Amino acid sequence: MIMKKLSLLLLLAVATSLSLIGQDAPNPTLNTAIRKHGLEKSKVMDIASWMCDVYGPRLTGSPMLDKATDWAQKTLKDWGMSNVHLEAWGPFGRGWEFTHFAMHATAPNYFPIIAYPKAWSPATKGVLSGEVIYLQADDEEDLKKLKGKLKGKFVLLDTIRTLKEWMDAPAKRYTSEDLLDMANAAAPGRRPDRDFNRLGGLSFNQKLFKFIMEEEPLAVLDRGFKGDLGTVFVTGARAEEGRVQDPKAKVIPQATLSVEHYNRIFRMMQKGIPVTLSMELKANYTNPDGMEHNIIAEIPGTDLKDEVVMLGAHFDSWHTGTGATDNGAGSSVMMEAARIILETIKETGIKPRRTIRLALWTGEEQGLLGSRGYVKEHFANTSPEGTIQSIKEAEQSKISGYFNLDNGTGKIRGVYLQGNAGVSPVFRAWLDPFKDLGAATLTLQNTGGTDHQAFDAAGIPGFQFIQEPIAYSTRTHHSNMDNWDHLVEDDLKQASTIIASFVLHTAMRDEKLPRKATELKAGSN
Amino acid sequence: MIMKKLSLLLLLAVATSLSLIGQDAPNPTLNTAIRKHGLEKSKVMDIASWMCDVYGPRLTGSPMLDKATDWAQKTLKDWGMSNVHLEAWGPFGRGWEFTHFAMHATAPNYFPIIAYPKAWSPATKGVLSGEVIYLQADDEEDLKKLKGKLKGKFVLLDTIRTLKEWMDAPAKRYTSEDLLDMANAAAPGRRPDRDFNRLGGLSFNQKLFKFIMEEEPLAVLDRGFKGDLGTVFVTGARAEEGRVQDPKAKVIPQATLSVEHYNRIFRMMQKGIPVTLSMELKANYTNPDGMEHNIIAEIPGTDLKDEVVMLGAHFDSWHTGTGATDNGAGSSVMMEAARIILETIKETGIKPRRTIRLALWTGEEQGLLGSRGYVKEHFANTSPEGTIQSIKEAEQSKISGYFNLDNGTGKIRGVYLQGNAGVSPVFRAWLDPFKDLGAATLTLQNTGGTDHQAFDAAGIPGFQFIQEPIAYSTRTHHSNMDNWDHLVEDDLKQASTIIASFVLHTAMRDEKLPRKATELKAGSN
């Protein structure tokens, strides 16, 4: 009985698989050329060096992002991409750049401090100098007692963070067990929340922060919730109220110190030893019109040229490294994938049926703003909770899928299907020729926190690849050490190659990619 | 037959062991009190915080070392140590401290650089600003062409160092295999060389360096031979000739950059993009009389009070961290061991027979200078190669042994016997009560690079303990991240406890510790 059932199942599986291979058999001519240009003649590390070493970091709204945007457009045009242009989104609000920052301990003894301004901190009036103070405050009574005592002081926001030595490797690759867990995971419920504000949940902490802002100390200092040994994780400053990008928002200088230096200061304070710091920040608010831009470039299609397949990655970064793994890696891989496709077309003479459109987003770090702006303009208006409110059918019905890369430098081990089971046999067939490169796992699971979500929310098949973690969360993601040297060449070559193949096969397919059942209803495709 | 032989061997072994236990049975009363004060009532982390957070770093010749020395003397006196005093050695030459250092990239784009001056670099005249240059020079012909081109430039000394992500843990403990290898190692031949000058071996590199010094660029920059992710390893500057401590030595500013920043600059240069840096160093040459000091403190003996047992560690450090694992750890453990002994005497009423003498050395980082000075003054004059030239018998014959700690924060796993097989059964018996703390391995091997060598060279039993490596070589030893936070509390407690026991048992023993056969001859004891 069991045998019989099993045979039937096997038969069904084989039949399904055969029929899919009919539609989705990978094209060996294309893949051979793609592998040649992606693995043997790669330019991905050179692209990344220009993007990060020369044109990094790329904080949204900063002049350096504009320079990087110019370079990317020029490079894409030089390669022969068509319709290279910018598309505005916004208003984002004011941009920011820093042109000088230094912090030193000056008493009781001198030492240079590894520290960084939080983005959108206002410039200081020259070199500030003052004692540090920690607010021992558990309730509003305590705050009253501290009134007037913060002026001229550096306020320490955090207590000591105790460190442990690294008995485990900071960088890792997925094991078979990790991947099997993903492969065997059920379809997800809702997409995970993105939390931009860790202080937000605790109401006294919010009051404490508001109190500090009103008291106008010299600056507010913290040591981040992770990082050590010279690696400092730094994102944006907080305004007293609302968004720091709002030109009217009140912000005071905020900086994150390396934990060892912060702890040292704190331990001296605990001993009753006054500690004096100096700090200087030169910074400008930029971009007065408040509008930002995504970069768009195309490879024209042929018989199905009105339909598109998109590939993209966010081009913006935080400001203390050079935005290498977040997301120079993804942007370089996507540019490289486009280049590989161009070379493959030249070499094979096979032209894509659908138009291939590359997008490099900005404003991702502030909430997927660039990709959401683009999706709103072209495909659908969605609520912040992800419900479709209105659809622009002309374009929404013409896009086959969107491929994204934004989880660091790690090579591709498979794809997050975002609950889209229908696409599973298609991607299974397309991954098959890349098993030797370690990419074989499909998971129904979601992954969150990046731009494919904007597409997914609009009823468009939008995918992020499963990537090896390497040192993304432990060392590079949003840190001062997000630098080119922490990109893994072989991994980026592998990712460019596989994505070029996925995009080109999506462009060549008879049908558009299957959509999720729920979205199909809403999407009226 | 085999069984018979084995029984005889076992019998011999038991007999030997019993006879040794007669002489060297550990005293449980002492050990119980030692464990109580060392493990349950430890002050080692507090000692280390004062030594590192408040009085660190402790570069030999720096005013901060003087402050740290004052603090240590006062602390030892407060505890009830006797005969607390300084003993001069030298002349060492000029000292040095830096009171401000900052480096920034200013063109083509701004970024703050994590960098440190090499010790004994002269102050700059205000903020220096200039382009970087890399000397492409393979021979003296090349140098001729570069003549006059370095003025006003920052010279990059190194090429790019390629990084690999950390797929292994930076910190580790010894495995049983590691320890077994040590246990089974034969007695060593000569002690390992200590190389202060990696450039020294290559004659063209020496010429290149001399050329650079003569051309007087703004500064010479390198990126160290290890370190990444914000950890920078930095030691001393090089003089054009001779020692940098020589007041007449010609030195130009030298700095070590974090490898990511150095590599980024280098990659821009390789693209033909000029890079401009700014650098400011405020630094003073100090200590005009050129003499340095070791700290000495005693716990007086009773019936054998003319004989001594010494424990020590070097107190000085490099200048960019706070000298925590090198060697605040060792110095704190040795101070703590003395404190534990004082408490044990109070609690048990048992007084040491021999005088216990604590030494905190300086000048270790420049070549074991403090301990060598002390040994020369008290025990024997040895050649730089370690041959005894003359012996001061009055003291040399009265010292039982010297115990040292200087390999970081890791707990004790055993003892390097330095080829002294005679001491093996003694230490075996004394380690026995600490098996539960993981200390059980004796190796005939040498370990080099620290102050027990000065004693060993003078025919005195001098020992360094086997310590867990933790992150000593990968992260903290001579780095900017040699900070208190990377001390491992449990390990330092364990080390203090075991050393207190070793020292006190050495002080109580009927005989002095056995000496090595070769040294016994030379030492005429």
Side-chain angles (χ1 to χ4, degrees), chain B residues 130-149:
Chain B
E131 275 186 26
V132 299
I133 185 171
Y134 173 73
L135 269 61
Q136 195 64 56
D138 296 323
D139 55 35
E140 290 177 61
E141 256 336 281
D142 289 343
L143 291 186
K144 274 184 199 155
K145 288 177 212 154
L146 288 163
K147 212 157 170 56
K149 294 193 176 163

Side-chain angles (χ1 to χ4, degrees), chain A residues 146-199:
Chain A
L146 288 162
K147 215 160 166 53
K149 293 191 176 165
L150 275 54
K151 208 82 188 171
K153 300 279 203 302
F154 290 98
V155 172
L156 301 184
L157 207 57
D158 298 324
T159 49
I160 280 177
R161 174 155 59 85
T162 303
L163 300 186
K164 277 193 179 164
E165 296 309 285
W166 286 83
M167 297 293 176
D168 295 314
K172 65 166 233 161
R173 291 185 180 276
Y174 284 131
T175 62
S176 303
E177 288 71 25
D178 295 330
L179 291 168
L180 187 61
D181 282 348
M182 292 188 209
N184 293 340
R190 54 192 292 280
R191 77 179 62 85
D193 289 336
R194 178 156 183 163
D195 179 11
F196 284 105
N197 188 345
R198 283 168 186 261
L199 268 177

Side-chain angles (χ1 to χ4, degrees), chain B residues 384-402:
Chain B
E385 295 75 36
T387 316
I388 296 175
Q389 293 175 320
S390 66
I391 285 189
K392 303 199 168 180
E393 276 198 51
E395 289 195 67
Q396 202 264 7
S397 67
K398 295 286 189 190
I399 176 166
S400 174
Y402 169 73

Side-chain angles (χ1 to χ4, degrees), chain A residues 1-9:
Chain A
M1 289 278 280
I2 281 173
M3 279 300 285
K4 237 184 183 171
K5 260 193 190 164
L6 210 70
S7 304
L8 188 65
L9 276 171

Side-chain angles (χ1 to χ4, degrees), chain B residues 152-211:
Chain B
K153 298 281 202 301
F154 290 99
V155 172
L156 301 183
L157 207 56
D158 297 324
T159 49
I160 280 177
R161 174 155 58 84
T162 302
L163 301 186
K164 277 194 179 165
E165 295 309 283
W166 285 83
M167 296 292 175
D168 295 314
K172 67 166 232 158
R173 292 184 179 277
Y174 284 131
T175 62
S176 303
E177 287 72 24
D178 295 330
L179 291 167
L180 186 63
D181 282 349
M182 293 189 206
N184 292 342
R190 53 192 292 280
R191 79 178 60 84
D193 288 336
R194 178 156 181 163
D195 178 11
F196 285 104
N197 189 344
R198 282 169 187 262
L199 268 177
L202 301 161
S203 67
F204 178 68
N205 276 352
Q206 278 179 322
K207 278 181 192 150
L208 180 63
F209 194 81
K210 200 165 155 43
F211 171 78

Side-chain angles (χ1 to χ4, degrees), chain B residues 445-503:
Chain B
Q445 283 185 305
N446 282 347
T447 187
T450 185
D451 299 294
H452 67 290
Q453 287 185 300
F455 288 79
D456 187 54
I460 298 162
F463 306 99
Q464 159 74 24
F465 292 87
I466 300 170
Q467 292 180 258
E468 297 277 21
I470 315 293
Y472 194 59
S473 67
T474 54
R475 284 289 163 201
T476 60
H477 175 242
H478 297 183
S479 89
N480 64 332
M481 285 297 138
D482 193 8
N483 294 308
W484 187 91
D485 299 278
H486 300 291
L487 297 177
V488 180
E489 180 167 354
D490 285 346
D491 286 27
L492 296 185
K493 287 178 178 174
Q494 185 257 25
S496 320
T497 302
I498 293 172
I499 292 174
S501 178
F502 262 63
V503 169

Side-chain angles (χ1 to χ4, degrees), chain B residues 16-330:
Chain B
T16 320
S17 141
L18 282 176
S19 82
L20 288 167
I21 285 176
Q23 156 97 296
D24 292 307
N27 181 328
T29 309
L30 292 180
N31 277 342
T32 300
I34 285 170
R35 286 178 83 113
K36 174 177 154 190
H37 292 285
L39 300 177
E40 292 159 36
K41 302 189 159 202
S42 173
K43 292 198 174 173
V44 71
M45 292 305 282
D46 187 51
I47 296 168
S49 178
W50 282 98
M51 194 183 293
C52 302
D53 290 326
V54 184
Y55 298 114
R58 300 168 305 282
L59 186 72
T60 297
S62 70
M64 184 57 89
L65 177 62
D66 292 341
K67 288 185 203 171
T69 300
D70 290 347
W71 163 82
Q73 286 190 96
K74 182 177 182 311
T75 303
L76 294 167
K77 281 178 194 163
D78 288 350
W79 290 346
M81 298 285 284
S82 303
N83 196 19
V84 178
H85 68 280
L86 301 184
E87 294 197 20
W89 60 267
F92 171 70
R94 60 186 174 183
W96 180 86
E97 65 170 356
F98 77 115
T99 59
H100 184 86
F101 183 77
M103 186 181 285
H104 303 265
T106 51
N109 37 47
Y110 172 77
F111 59 97
I113 295 174
I114 299 177
Y116 297 88
K118 294 190 158 192
W120 283 276
S121 285
T124 59
K125 284 174 190 147
V127 179
L128 305 180
S129 182
E131 275 186 26
V132 299
I133 185 171
Y134 173 73
L135 269 61
Q136 195 64 56
D138 296 323
D139 55 35
E140 290 177 61
E141 256 336 281
D142 289 343
L143 291 186
K144 274 184 199 155
K145 288 177 212 154
L146 288 163
K147 212 157 170 56
K149 294 193 176 163
L150 275 55
K151 207 83 185 172
K153 298 281 202 301
F154 290 99
V155 172
L156 301 183
L157 207 56
D158 297 324
T159 49
I160 280 177
R161 174 155 58 84
T162 302
L163 301 186
K164 277 194 179 165
E165 295 309 283
W166 285 83
M167 296 292 175
D168 295 314
K172 67 166 232 158
R173 292 184 179 277
Y174 284 131
T175 62
S176 303
E177 287 72 24
D178 295 330
L179 291 167
L180 186 63
D181 282 349
M182 293 189 206
N184 292 342
R190 53 192 292 280
R191 79 178 60 84
D193 288 336
R194 178 156 181 163
D195 178 11
F196 285 104
N197 189 344
R198 282 169 187 262
L199 268 177
L202 301 161
S203 67
F204 178 68
N205 276 352
Q206 278 179 322
K207 278 181 192 150
L208 180 63
F209 194 81
K210 200 165 155 43
F211 171 78
I212 293 170
M213 297 293 276
E214 283 166 1
E215 291 288 300
E216 294 189 341
L218 296 177
V220 176
L221 311 181
D222 66 46
R223 41 64 181 164
F225 64 95
K226 63 177 177 176
D228 63 359
L229 291 160
T231 304
V232 188
F233 292 81
V234 190
T235 58
R238 281 163 57 93
E240 189 176 327
E241 275 179 59
R243 298 173 66 241
V244 285
Q245 290 85 17
D246 177 350
K248 288 181 215 139
K250 183 178 162 191
V251 193
I252 64 171
Q254 291 157 56
T256 302
L257 281 67
S258 59
V259 65
E260 289 88 349
H261 294 154
Y262 189 95
N263 285 356
R264 181 181 180 189
I265 292 165
F266 209 95
R267 285 190 297 265
M268 284 198 271
M269 255 185 21
Q270 285 179 321
K271 291 178 171 64
I273 300 170
V275 179
T276 304
L277 308 181
S278 77
M279 175 178 134
E280 185 177 24
L281 170 60
K282 295 179 187 168
N284 309 305
Y285 290 114
T286 55
N287 194 37
D289 82 349
M291 295 302 287
E292 293 299 325
H293 303 86
N294 300 313
I295 305 167
I296 305 292
E298 291 184 344
I299 301 171
T302 49
D303 64 319
L304 299 173
K305 65 172 182 284
D306 290 345
E307 294 183 5
V308 295
V309 47
M310 288 190 69
L311 68 164
H314 79 85
F315 191 58
D316 65 307
S317 74
W318 283 108
H319 59 296
T320 67
T322 56
T325 68
D326 185 24
N327 186 24

